[in-house]
Amino acid sequence: MLSIANLQARIDDKPILRGIDLDVKPGEVHAIMGPNGSGKSTLGYVLSGREGYEVTAGSVRFDGQDLLAMATEERARAGLFLAFQYPVEIPGVSNMEFLKASVDAVRAHRGVEPLDAVRFLRLAREKCEAVGMKTDFLKRGVNEGFSGGEKKRNEILQMMLLEPRLAILDETDSGLDIDALQVVAAGVNGLRAADRSFVIVTHYQRLLDYIVPDFVHVLAHGRIVKSGGRELALELEDKGYAWIGKEAG
Amino acid sequence: MSEHIESLLKQDYAAGFVTAVESETLPPGLDENVVRLISAKKGEPEWLTEWRLEAYRGWRQMAEPTWAHVHFPPVDFAAVSYYSAPKSMADGPKSLDEVDPELLRTYEKLGIPLHERAKLAGVAVDAVFDSVSVVTTFKEKLHEAGVVFCPISEAVHTHPELVRKYLGSVVPRRDNFYAALNSAVFSDGSFVYIPPGVRCPMELSTYFRINEAKTGQFERTLIIADEGSHVSYLEGCTAPMRDENQLHAAVVELVALKGARIKYSTVQNWYPGDRDGKGGIYNFVTKRGLCHDHASISWTQVETGSAITWKYPSVVLRGDHSVGEFYSVALTNNLQQADTGTKMIHLGRNTRSTIISKGISAGRSSNAYRGLVRISPRAEGARNYTQCDSLLIGDRCGAHTFPYIESRNASATVEHEATTSKVSEDQLFLCRQRGLDAEKAVSMIVNGFCREVFKELPMEFAVEAGKLLEVSLEGSVG
């Protein structure tokens, strides 16, 4: 589904990604761990097409397409979803309006009719309850005055409505209490399917107690320096990141 | 983002076409004879001719205001023609069938059907083309309710006592340079009278259109809401695209007698000039309302057009317990300049006013809010709340806020809040990551920013205003 080869990228002439290789097959859950500044968030931004990042080498195939040649919104419509670490507020735009516009755009790309307002409202309410929010959540401005936990729940709500092919969660667990963490995990686990994949970027292995990954990769200085199974995350929890750096030389 | 935002605000002005009708246009220049001629063309009574001449003499002694935060070469008032009318209107059409079909098509193109079968549901329209009113719809139905809605040139003959009593009563002839000019040469505009206790059965609307080149438009609107009555009024404006600047100096006077309510909404989309700032309308407008006891006047404006906007819809809260409101969205793009805001003059006791201003600047434009809240010594318990928000798109535009507060009564409460923000790269990225293209994203963000003002507009116009913003913003993102 996603095939990254020798991906290198920089911001303002400062290299951040120095040659990433990663293959994600349909149905797999990959965790990307690593110390602060290792390039974890950058990877998510480069894949989703954020401006300001310059790709200097490498290629990325997504469902057979050249991902890097696609515009940000085209990638989103093709099924790539990024859950943000710090979701931004859009004052005055209701969550409902935003979600509907977003779902309509993705559906239009798939050649499906937009949902009528009534059906969409029913669906949105249902997902809203699933992430443990009251339905007045939909009437409020996008992330406007939301607590940290509410913002993250909103990200999961968007993911559930958009049903992406590939979801990248960028430290969605940071700053969450245990209840919210379980909501995030339930959201991901509920969407796990044979044709859907996840890349979970996290600093701590705590989230991986709830979302069990198939593979764990350690990112350091812009490269994947170690890959393994679930046990690698536990080992990292135990020993920290310092030893990886040494081992990788 | 800037590369993004730069290309979203580039788009064609959809109302920029010219209608090929034969016009009778006075040669450029202004003197007493021109004033007399305009008055004579309209068959005005002697008192009005004198009234105009008095205004003209005042104007000659006045200087153009220079305090606004706008810059433009001096207007050559001798090069402007002060009267233009389609020739077919010379004898005045008796019914729609007699109106030049070319004119009707103009309004249809603009989305304002004037024909009986296609009239806007529930909205009575007065259409003003250059200097004259073309047609007023729904006259009969309004007549049944006792409402008078007609061109002011007609009201001069049919309701001379009302016109004579109230014309210039809110905006005096020598109020300011442009108001004096308007008083001397005003051509047409709408007149509204709502009898006591009547709630006007439909929205009233005037649609202003400048067509002729090198012509100024000087319309004059007078709305009188008698005791306990209620009216909602909307005006819209467009003009063809032309390389030279055109002058528009209107005066609007509102009189809300005891307990009356007037809601006045404007969607102003005069031609703003091209991307390099060539052409466009100079919109120098004086709008003011006067509230008697327990009356209320609410101005809502969505200003997206004009090369230069100089406009301060104001309320004089003379009566006790009267209420003034001002809700404004002003969007400037490319090289547009706007200096707009309001004045709330609290004279009566327990008067209240609310000011919500949303300024959006894009391109290389300049957008200023200028507001005055004045509390007189007599205005016990007066209250004002002002909120002024500016949104910047890109990094070459400017937003300025000039609030003036003069309080001469210690019991008054005056609150002022102001914010300035930018459409951030983060917001754009979030929207695009959710599948929205950059244009849709910016228009959604800007619409959200304007929400508090849009909800004050009549329903169907709120939708229009949202679309208009979208169009005006095209090319601001790339």
Side-chain angles (χ1 to χ4, degrees), chain B residues 146-157:
Chain B
V147 171
V148 181
F149 178 41
C150 66
I152 196 161
S153 55
E154 186 181 317
V156 167
H157 300 288

PDB file of all heavy atoms in Angstrom, chain B residues 146-157:
ATOM      1  N   GLY B 146     -50.064  50.079   3.280  1.00  0.00           N
ATOM      2  CA  GLY B 146     -49.842  51.485   3.572  1.00  0.00           C
ATOM      3  C   GLY B 146     -48.387  51.893   3.452  1.00  0.00           C
ATOM      4  O   GLY B 146     -48.015  53.021   3.754  1.00  0.00           O
ATOM      5  N   VAL B 147     -47.552  50.954   2.997  1.00  0.00           N
ATOM      6  CA  VAL B 147     -46.123  51.231   2.886  1.00  0.00           C
ATOM      7  C   VAL B 147     -45.843  51.995   1.593  1.00  0.00           C
ATOM      8  O   VAL B 147     -46.386  51.653   0.539  1.00  0.00           O
ATOM      9  CB  VAL B 147     -45.309  49.916   2.883  1.00  0.00           C
ATOM     10  CG1 VAL B 147     -43.845  50.170   2.547  1.00  0.00           C
ATOM     11  CG2 VAL B 147     -45.451  49.218   4.231  1.00  0.00           C
ATOM     12  N   VAL B 148     -45.057  53.021   1.682  1.00  0.00           N
ATOM     13  CA  VAL B 148     -44.656  53.746   0.474  1.00  0.00           C
ATOM     14  C   VAL B 148     -43.226  53.333   0.143  1.00  0.00           C
ATOM     15  O   VAL B 148     -42.330  53.427   0.988  1.00  0.00           O
ATOM     16  CB  VAL B 148     -44.697  55.274   0.697  1.00  0.00           C
ATOM     17  CG1 VAL B 148     -44.302  56.000  -0.582  1.00  0.00           C
ATOM     18  CG2 VAL B 148     -46.064  55.705   1.183  1.00  0.00           C
ATOM     19  N   PHE B 149     -43.033  52.822  -1.053  1.00  0.00           N
ATOM     20  CA  PHE B 149     -41.694  52.423  -1.494  1.00  0.00           C
ATOM     21  C   PHE B 149     -41.594  52.845  -2.945  1.00  0.00           C
ATOM     22  O   PHE B 149     -42.218  52.247  -3.823  1.00  0.00           O
ATOM     23  CB  PHE B 149     -41.521  50.915  -1.339  1.00  0.00           C
ATOM     24  CG  PHE B 149     -40.177  50.399  -1.806  1.00  0.00           C
ATOM     25  CD1 PHE B 149     -39.011  51.103  -1.536  1.00  0.00           C
ATOM     26  CD2 PHE B 149     -40.075  49.192  -2.495  1.00  0.00           C
ATOM     27  CE1 PHE B 149     -37.763  50.616  -1.948  1.00  0.00           C
ATOM     28  CE2 PHE B 149     -38.839  48.698  -2.904  1.00  0.00           C
ATOM     29  CZ  PHE B 149     -37.696  49.414  -2.630  1.00  0.00           C
ATOM     30  N   CYS B 150     -40.868  53.912  -3.227  1.00  0.00           N
ATOM     31  CA  CYS B 150     -40.813  54.420  -4.588  1.00  0.00           C
ATOM     32  C   CYS B 150     -39.526  55.222  -4.769  1.00  0.00           C
ATOM     33  O   CYS B 150     -38.823  55.496  -3.803  1.00  0.00           O
ATOM     34  CB  CYS B 150     -42.028  55.304  -4.868  1.00  0.00           C
ATOM     35  SG  CYS B 150     -42.069  56.813  -3.888  1.00  0.00           S
ATOM     36  N   PRO B 151     -39.209  55.565  -6.017  1.00  0.00           N
ATOM     37  CA  PRO B 151     -38.040  56.416  -6.235  1.00  0.00           C
ATOM     38  C   PRO B 151     -38.234  57.738  -5.505  1.00  0.00           C
ATOM     39  O   PRO B 151     -39.358  58.247  -5.446  1.00  0.00           O
ATOM     40  CB  PRO B 151     -38.035  56.637  -7.748  1.00  0.00           C
ATOM     41  CG  PRO B 151     -38.837  55.515  -8.309  1.00  0.00           C
ATOM     42  CD  PRO B 151     -39.850  55.169  -7.278  1.00  0.00           C
ATOM     43  N   ILE B 152     -37.166  58.290  -5.000  1.00  0.00           N
ATOM     44  CA  ILE B 152     -37.299  59.525  -4.228  1.00  0.00           C
ATOM     45  C   ILE B 152     -37.773  60.666  -5.131  1.00  0.00           C
ATOM     46  O   ILE B 152     -38.486  61.570  -4.691  1.00  0.00           O
ATOM     47  CB  ILE B 152     -35.977  59.858  -3.491  1.00  0.00           C
ATOM     48  CG1 ILE B 152     -36.254  60.891  -2.393  1.00  0.00           C
ATOM     49  CG2 ILE B 152     -34.896  60.319  -4.431  1.00  0.00           C
ATOM     50  CD1 ILE B 152     -35.178  60.951  -1.331  1.00  0.00           C
ATOM     51  N   SER B 153     -37.429  60.582  -6.420  1.00  0.00           N
ATOM     52  CA  SER B 153     -37.871  61.623  -7.359  1.00  0.00           C
ATOM     53  C   SER B 153     -39.388  61.609  -7.490  1.00  0.00           C
ATOM     54  O   SER B 153     -40.005  62.638  -7.768  1.00  0.00           O
ATOM     55  CB  SER B 153     -37.220  61.405  -8.725  1.00  0.00           C
ATOM     56  OG  SER B 153     -37.476  60.101  -9.189  1.00  0.00           O
ATOM     57  N   GLU B 154     -39.986  60.445  -7.291  1.00  0.00           N
ATOM     58  CA  GLU B 154     -41.434  60.327  -7.362  1.00  0.00           C
ATOM     59  C   GLU B 154     -42.056  60.817  -6.044  1.00  0.00           C
ATOM     60  O   GLU B 154     -43.071  61.507  -6.034  1.00  0.00           O
ATOM     61  CB  GLU B 154     -41.786  58.856  -7.613  1.00  0.00           C
ATOM     62  CG  GLU B 154     -43.235  58.567  -7.860  1.00  0.00           C
ATOM     63  CD  GLU B 154     -43.464  57.056  -8.084  1.00  0.00           C
ATOM     64  OE1 GLU B 154     -42.649  56.422  -8.814  1.00  0.00           O
ATOM     65  OE2 GLU B 154     -44.421  56.523  -7.508  1.00  0.00           O
ATOM     66  N   ALA B 155     -41.385  60.469  -4.932  1.00  0.00           N
ATOM     67  CA  ALA B 155     -41.901  60.848  -3.617  1.00  0.00           C
ATOM     68  C   ALA B 155     -41.957  62.363  -3.458  1.00  0.00           C
ATOM     69  O   ALA B 155     -42.821  62.897  -2.764  1.00  0.00           O
ATOM     70  CB  ALA B 155     -41.043  60.231  -2.515  1.00  0.00           C
ATOM     71  N   VAL B 156     -41.038  63.035  -4.135  1.00  0.00           N
ATOM     72  CA  VAL B 156     -41.033  64.503  -4.078  1.00  0.00           C
ATOM     73  C   VAL B 156     -42.388  65.042  -4.530  1.00  0.00           C
ATOM     74  O   VAL B 156     -42.870  66.047  -4.011  1.00  0.00           O
ATOM     75  CB  VAL B 156     -39.897  65.066  -4.981  1.00  0.00           C
ATOM     76  CG1 VAL B 156     -40.060  66.559  -5.209  1.00  0.00           C
ATOM     77  CG2 VAL B 156     -38.547  64.743  -4.380  1.00  0.00           C
ATOM     78  N   HIS B 157     -43.010  64.326  -5.480  1.00  0.00           N
ATOM     79  CA  HIS B 157     -44.313  64.776  -5.982  1.00  0.00           C
ATOM     80  C   HIS B 157     -45.475  64.163  -5.223  1.00  0.00           C
ATOM     81  O   HIS B 157     -46.474  64.821  -4.988  1.00  0.00           O
ATOM     82  CB  HIS B 157     -44.436  64.436  -7.473  1.00  0.00           C
ATOM     83  CG  HIS B 157     -43.368  65.103  -8.279  1.00  0.00           C
ATOM     84  ND1 HIS B 157     -43.367  66.457  -8.512  1.00  0.00           N
ATOM     85  CD2 HIS B 157     -42.257  64.619  -8.873  1.00  0.00           C
ATOM     86  CE1 HIS B 157     -42.290  66.775  -9.226  1.00  0.00           C
ATOM     87  NE2 HIS B 157     -41.605  65.674  -9.457  1.00  0.00           N
TER      88      HIS B 157
END
